[in-house]
Amino acid sequence: MSFLRRMFGGDGEGHGTGRAPRDPAAAAAEDAEHERALLREEAVRLSDELLARQMRYADRSWTPPAQGGERRADDAENNA
């Protein structure tokens, strides 16, 4: 919703930001720059060698076998 408010300058009932509506092209350029900044920050955060190694081997992590089985105590089963 905030994106639409920024794009069109409010909802027309006085609940806007008090600013004039912006040019849609300028808003799109600003959003693209924001996305690029987020991607840069994410790349810096993930550039840590230990974190990269953990992510590389995450699919090989060991999980203990499930205890018990598929059957549960409240399952309706006729043993008659």
Side-chain angles (χ1 to χ4, degrees):
M1 289 300 273
S2 65
F3 170 73
L4 293 175
R5 285 190 195 118
R6 284 184 298 176
M7 188 88 166
F8 297 113
D11 58 3
E13 296 180 8
H15 298 299
T17 60
R19 291 179 275 173
R22 294 188 308 166
D23 179 29
E30 183 180 312
D31 287 341
E33 177 59 34
H34 178 69
E35 289 294 324
R36 282 192 296 272
L38 289 177
L39 288 173
R40 278 193 300 270
E41 290 174 15
E42 187 74 6
V44 168
R45 186 180 70 84
L46 294 178
S47 66
D48 181 35
E49 184 178 334
L50 177 62
L51 184 60
R53 186 173 169 188
Q54 288 174 337
M55 290 175 64
R56 186 180 316 126
Y57 294 109
D59 62 334
R60 299 182 187 136
S61 64
W62 179 81
T63 56
Q67 293 184 359
E70 296 294 319
R71 199 167 149 252
R72 296 288 173 237
D74 61 345
D75 285 346
E77 185 175 316
N78 294 335
N79 289 334

